[in-house]
Amino acid sequence: MRRLFLLLCVFGLAVVVGCGGGGGVVGTGGGTTPATPTVSLSVPAGAAPAGVTPAVAYKTATEIPGRPTGSAFVAAAQTTPASTAFTQPVTLTFTLTSPLGASDRVDLFQVNTSGVWTNGVPGATVTISTDNTTVTAVISNFSSQGYYAVFKL
């Protein structure tokens, strides 16, 4: 009986961690968060500092602090814990609700310590899938505020 109770508790915790607001948590052993219609995070094994559990959550245009002038919102995420530096690059993958246009240009932005969006995350590589439905950003650390967004330029 006790074993069954423990098993149910562990299963319930797994369901709570794996469900919810468009993101997920990755342990220090690496892995990929469950794919959602909006954002996922892939962390190689051993890339996160000891004791750090990286996570990502999708944010809508109204949930982020403003946006750069002259840009159009595509997708956004908040990463935690902010300012985490990884030993290997990690990948944010934004799955778009509608494809980008063939001539659309996008870039990854981050919020600086003053709360202002800055274009071009240092060291980041940003790619658009051939079907224009996903934007992938390879980064080596989480920003000081933890917010990232893809905007059309």
Side-chain angles (χ1 to χ4, degrees):
M1 184 68 159
R2 188 176 208 167
R3 238 183 235 182
L4 178 61
F5 176 77
L6 181 59
L7 182 62
L8 289 173
C9 287
V10 170
F11 178 77
L13 180 60
V15 170
V16 170
V17 170
C19 297
V25 175
V26 177
T28 57
T32 301
T33 60
T36 69
T38 53
V39 67
S40 65
L41 171 66
S42 181
V43 178
V52 172
T53 304
V56 63
Y58 181 78
K59 297 294 177 182
T60 65
T62 59
E63 295 175 310
I64 60 173
R67 72 165 205 222
T69 304
S71 66
F73 177 84
V74 175
Q78 183 173 21
T79 56
T80 56
S83 299
T84 299
F86 297 95
T87 60
Q88 300 173 57
V90 300
T91 304
L92 287 171
T93 302
F94 297 92
T95 303
L96 309 179
T97 54
S98 59
L100 293 166
S103 63
D104 284 341
R105 288 184 37 239
V106 299
D107 203 357
L108 184 67
F109 287 68
Q110 66 183 352
V111 176
N112 65 21
T113 55
S114 301
V116 176
W117 287 101
T118 57
N119 184 358
V121 175
T125 302
V126 179
T127 56
I128 301 171
S129 64
T130 56
D131 65 0
N132 294 331
T133 60
T134 60
V135 176
T136 302
V138 178
I139 58 176
S140 57
N141 62 285
F142 288 165
S143 73
S144 61
Q145 302 301 309
Y147 283 104
Y148 288 96
V150 176
F151 293 104
K152 288 183 191 177
L153 305 175

